[in-house]
Amino acid sequence: MEELPGEVVADVYHPEEVREISVETATEYLEVIREAGKRIALGVGLCILSPVPLLLFTGMSEAGLVFPTEDVAGGVGVGGLLAIVAVAVILFVLNGLRLDEYEYLEKEEFRLSYGVAGIVEKEEKEFRPVFYQGIAFGAALCVASCVPIVIAGAADAADSILICLCALLLAIVALGVYLIVRVAVRKGGYDRLLQHGDYTQEKKRENKRLEVFDGAYWGIITAVYLGVNFVCMNWHISWVIWPVAGVAFAAIHSIVSAMNGR
């Protein structure tokens, strides 16, 4: 339409095209996230378990059961540690590549086709008791993991026994964390599809606005870290910058988020 002289034409808002999620896509994603939960939980559990060979071999060497010296036991243990971590990294990488296809569910706005929300909500409701049980049992195992080593310490057990009990502690914690991560990943899949919690449309818009701040913040911290070290050569203590920056980031991020929400 041609604009007449002196006429004020209102801006026309053209909303971005919103992706629509079909029942097939939703079903496929839930199956992928179900398998991803197992792999991610296994990878995290393996990372926690990775020091176990080192602890066991060191404890048995100190007791005179295997290996002539603690150095040999330590070398073999470190080899086992690296092998376990390598397996965990493979799981994380392969799983990440598989989930990249659905990254838009976390970052972009979308809508569910007719009837899909009802199907997902029904499945999420059926899964809810499993989620609560996984969190409860996992947390209980993490707390109970300290019991054997506390009892052994009170009984003045030998150092070799205490070292082996540390390995047992890690094994129990790994099992507890496995249960928690497995159900938490699957619960996150339902939240993404239903756009609940941290995945609401408002939260996604807010995260997009904060992406610039996040990138600038960590870029500055990295520059400060490198500058301090190259000028003062304090590499042995400058690592403190990272935990301090992490705590500060959480506080500043909350303030910036609140200001954006006004």
Side-chain angles (χ1 to χ4, degrees):
M1 183 177 66
E2 184 178 356
E3 181 181 348
L4 299 176
E7 181 182 4
V8 178
V9 179
D11 292 335
V12 179
Y13 174 65
H14 299 283
E16 296 181 0
E17 185 178 351
V18 178
R19 192 193 300 254
E20 184 169 330
I21 307 300
S22 65
V23 65
E24 291 80 11
T25 302
T27 303
E28 181 182 327
Y29 172 69
L30 290 177
E31 182 60 33
V32 169
I33 208 70
R34 194 177 293 115
E35 294 301 317
K38 298 176 184 178
R39 296 192 187 98
I40 293 173
L42 179 59
V44 174
L46 287 175
C47 288
I48 297 173
L49 278 175
S50 60
V52 168
L54 177 60
L55 291 171
L56 287 177
F57 292 149
T58 302
M60 288 188 291
S61 176
E62 187 166 326
L65 298 177
V66 293
F67 301 112
T69 64
E70 289 187 15
D71 290 340
V72 176
V76 176
V78 170
L81 183 153
L82 295 176
I84 294 174
V85 171
V87 174
V89 170
I90 292 173
L91 287 173
F92 291 142
V93 171
L94 293 178
N95 196 69
L97 293 174
R98 182 71 180 91
L99 288 175
D100 278 348
E101 181 182 350
Y102 301 97
E103 188 178 8
Y104 64 88
L105 294 175
E106 184 173 344
K107 297 184 177 181
E108 298 178 13
E109 297 180 32
F110 60 87
R111 65 172 178 267
L112 300 177
S113 298
Y114 178 78
V116 175
I119 296 173
V120 177
E121 287 172 352
K122 181 178 181 294
E123 189 171 330
E124 191 272 339
K125 186 177 180 180
E126 294 173 351
F127 170 73
R128 210 172 295 164
V130 179
F131 173 73
Y132 293 143
Q133 290 170 11
I135 296 296
F137 284 118
L141 284 173
C142 290
V143 174
S145 64
C146 301
V147 173
I149 196 169
V150 169
I151 294 175
D156 198 21
D159 289 345
S160 58
I161 294 177
L162 291 176
I163 292 174
C164 291
L165 287 178
C166 285
L168 176 62
L169 181 150
L170 290 177
I172 297 174
V173 170
L175 177 59
V177 172
Y178 173 85
L179 295 176
I180 293 173
V181 173
R182 181 171 175 175
V183 296
V185 170
R186 188 171 170 186
K187 179 66 165 60
Y190 291 119
D191 288 343
R192 290 185 189 92
L193 275 178
L194 297 173
Q195 301 190 86
H196 289 168
D198 291 334
Y199 305 105
T200 61
Q201 294 186 4
E202 293 76 13
K203 193 70 176 178
K204 291 176 182 178
R205 296 188 193 115
E206 178 185 323
N207 290 337
K208 284 184 178 179
R209 291 195 296 267
L210 292 175
E211 281 180 358
V212 176
F213 164 76
D214 294 349
Y217 178 86
W218 289 113
I220 292 172
I221 293 299
T222 303
V224 170
Y225 173 76
L226 295 175
V228 168
N229 283 295
F230 283 122
V231 173
C232 303
M233 300 303 292
N234 288 327
W235 298 92
H236 61 293
I237 60 172
S238 60
W239 60 267
V240 176
I241 292 175
W242 295 109
V244 172
V247 174
F249 174 77
I252 297 173
H253 196 277
S254 298
I255 295 172
V256 174
S257 178
M259 293 175 64
N260 272 284
R262 290 180 180 177

